[in-house]
Amino acid sequence: MPEIVLKGVTKRFGKSVAVNSLDLVIDDGAFVTLLGPSGCGKTTTLRMIAGLETPTEGEIYIGGNLVFSSEKGVDVSTDKRNIGFLFQNYALWPHMTVRKNITFGLENLKWSKAAINERLEELLHQMHIKEYADRYPSELSGGQQQRVAIARTLASKPSLLLMDEPLSNLDAKLRLDMRAELKKLHAETGSTFVYVTHDQQEAMSLSTRVCLMKQGVLQQYSAPLEVYGSPANMFTADFVGSPSINFIDVEPTITSSELILEADGFTINFTPEKWQDVNNIKNGAKLVLGVRPEMIQVSEEGKTSADIDSSLPYGMETVLCLKVSNMTLLAVVFGSIDFKHREKVFINFEGSKICLFDKETGNLITKGSAQFI
């Protein structure tokens, strides 16, 4: 049962703190993505789970077994943690055929010849590379090499598969195809996957849970749609989502029945999901309204006018850059439609997951619906 538990795990490099007191539980069979910008500590965390990096403090358990403890002096070697590690550069042996790359590790583990051949056939079929079995890595495309690398990693049937940005070297279309393959592979194997990426679309589409980090500190650990729809703070809201969320500086005026938000050039009536969430807000406080682009509705019935600054049609949807009073907002219009530069349109807010943040702390106060007044 390859559940992974990190307790107070910290990693320092000199005076620099790469990971700061990280507590994390990765359930058996989960597909968890470690997400964040460069230098946030995600790869360091993965390497500490693998045993390739030694934590400065804390404890790590895999499958109920203590594999690292700074206090107890425990540090189980990588080869005894029953893990598979898929690297960014594939690391295939160039002088070995696909067949040999996959079976080499099993031979070192002293598997029987019959067991090796049976496992090889399973993997060649599962990864759709049977016709390439006798080719060398240099004779394969990037996507084919990736499939071989995955097959080799899965060969010994590890209960835990760790992946460090394995798709970053592929072109956009192939990366999309391989995402689908990885998700299907996870469903078929039932193994626990831990996956490092800086690509939020990759994290959203693949994961059962996303672990979002910033400067070594955990920001949010939730299901992808929860991270998107209920971001814990402004960093999370801004990092996840494409096009990016709109942030609007507002000041509140609270009455017995209304929460009125004054922005630069317009006024908004905000209705929170729970009124008790806004009990501590003071009139004139510094707040930020977070509005996803798809929550800005462009229609003839809109209450506020806007000018089209740019229109980017993609066929299925069109991304609009709107000039509204003294600010710029991004909106998404679904369908095959285009707009002219400086064309005047009318907009309104829609949906009940518009976010209200505390500007000073950046933390989410509540979600709700909003309307222009």
Side-chain angles (χ1 to χ4, degrees), residues 349-366:
F349 296 131
E350 62 178 350
S352 60
K353 291 189 176 182
I354 293 174
C355 298
L356 190 63
F357 300 97
D358 183 307
K359 186 171 184 177
E360 183 178 352
T361 65
N363 292 333
L364 178 70
I365 297 173
T366 189

Side-chain angles (χ1 to χ4, degrees), residues 239-285:
F239 195 85
V240 175
S242 180
S244 299
I245 193 171
N246 297 290
F247 287 134
I248 305 171
D249 288 333
V250 294
E251 291 187 2
T253 300
I254 303 173
T255 68
S256 58
S257 59
E258 289 185 320
L259 173 53
I260 306 301
L261 304 176
E262 293 290 343
D264 186 7
F266 53 85
T267 304
I268 299 165
N269 186 343
F270 184 82
T271 304
E273 284 182 340
K274 300 176 182 177
W275 278 98
Q276 58 264 36
D277 291 341
V278 300
N279 284 341
N280 295 326
I281 296 177
K282 306 297 183 185
N283 288 339

Side-chain angles (χ1 to χ4, degrees), residues 135-359:
R135 294 189 188 180
Y136 290 90
S138 61
E139 300 174 306
L140 304 176
S141 68
Q144 291 161 354
Q145 290 183 38
Q146 178 66 283
R147 291 170 193 268
V148 176
I150 293 172
R152 184 188 58 185
T153 304
L154 292 174
S156 61
K157 298 184 178 180
S159 57
L160 172 60
L161 183 59
L162 308 179
M163 294 172 277
D164 188 7
E165 302 202 52
L167 308 185
S168 61
N169 293 332
L170 304 180
D171 62 59
K173 184 181 184 304
L174 193 52
R175 193 158 59 242
L176 190 63
D177 292 342
M178 287 306 300
R179 285 178 195 168
E181 289 294 334
L182 280 175
K183 193 157 188 176
K184 184 170 70 173
L185 186 66
H186 175 253
E188 291 174 349
T189 61
S191 299
T192 303
F193 284 17
V194 184
Y195 187 100
V196 164
T197 184
H198 63 272
D199 186 328
Q200 53 96 8
Q201 289 186 330
E202 211 159 77
M204 289 288 293
S205 60
L206 289 175
S207 316
T208 56
R209 298 191 82 183
V210 174
C211 171
L212 181 59
M213 301 176 71
K214 176 187 178 185
Q215 296 177 346
V217 178
L218 177 64
Q219 301 296 304
Q220 189 164 356
Y221 183 46
S222 305
L225 293 180
E226 186 176 347
V227 173
Y228 184 81
S230 301
N233 51 45
M234 290 176 64
F235 171 79
T236 302
D238 189 41
F239 195 85
V240 175
S242 180
S244 299
I245 193 171
N246 297 290
F247 287 134
I248 305 171
D249 288 333
V250 294
E251 291 187 2
T253 300
I254 303 173
T255 68
S256 58
S257 59
E258 289 185 320
L259 173 53
I260 306 301
L261 304 176
E262 293 290 343
D264 186 7
F266 53 85
T267 304
I268 299 165
N269 186 343
F270 184 82
T271 304
E273 284 182 340
K274 300 176 182 177
W275 278 98
Q276 58 264 36
D277 291 341
V278 300
N279 284 341
N280 295 326
I281 296 177
K282 306 297 183 185
N283 288 339
K286 302 297 183 182
L287 306 179
V288 176
L289 198 67
V291 185
R292 296 285 182 193
E294 68 270 19
M295 295 176 182
I296 296 180
Q297 184 182 41
V298 177
S299 70
E300 295 179 357
E301 291 78 35
K303 292 185 177 180
T304 295
S305 64
D307 294 322
I308 302 291
D309 194 46
S310 66
S311 174
L312 304 173
Y314 293 102
M316 183 175 66
E317 64 187 25
T318 299
V319 177
L320 299 178
C321 185
L322 303 171
K323 290 291 185 181
V324 186
S325 186
N326 297 316
M327 69 182 64
T328 301
L329 299 177
L330 291 175
V332 172
V333 177
F334 296 98
S336 298
I337 188 172
D338 198 3
F339 295 83
K340 296 178 181 179
H341 177 55
R342 294 182 179 173
E343 181 180 345
K344 187 175 291 293
V345 296
F346 293 90
I347 63 171
N348 210 344
F349 296 131
E350 62 178 350
S352 60
K353 291 189 176 182
I354 293 174
C355 298
L356 190 63
F357 300 97
D358 183 307
K359 186 171 184 177

Side-chain angles (χ1 to χ4, degrees), residues 5-24 44-45 47-49 53-61 66-75 81 216:
V5 179
L6 281 69
K7 294 183 177 181
V9 171
T10 296
K11 178 62 181 179
R12 299 187 187 91
F13 295 98
K15 295 182 179 179
S16 174
V17 180
V19 178
N20 191 4
S21 192
L22 178 62
D23 293 316
L24 194 66
T44 301
T45 299
R47 291 176 61 83
M48 288 191 291
I49 293 172
E53 201 75 64
T54 303
T56 309
E57 298 171 8
E59 293 184 337
I60 300 175
Y61 294 81
L66 181 66
V67 297
F68 178 83
S69 173
S70 56
E71 287 190 3
K72 299 175 183 176
V74 176
D75 191 3
R81 296 192 184 190

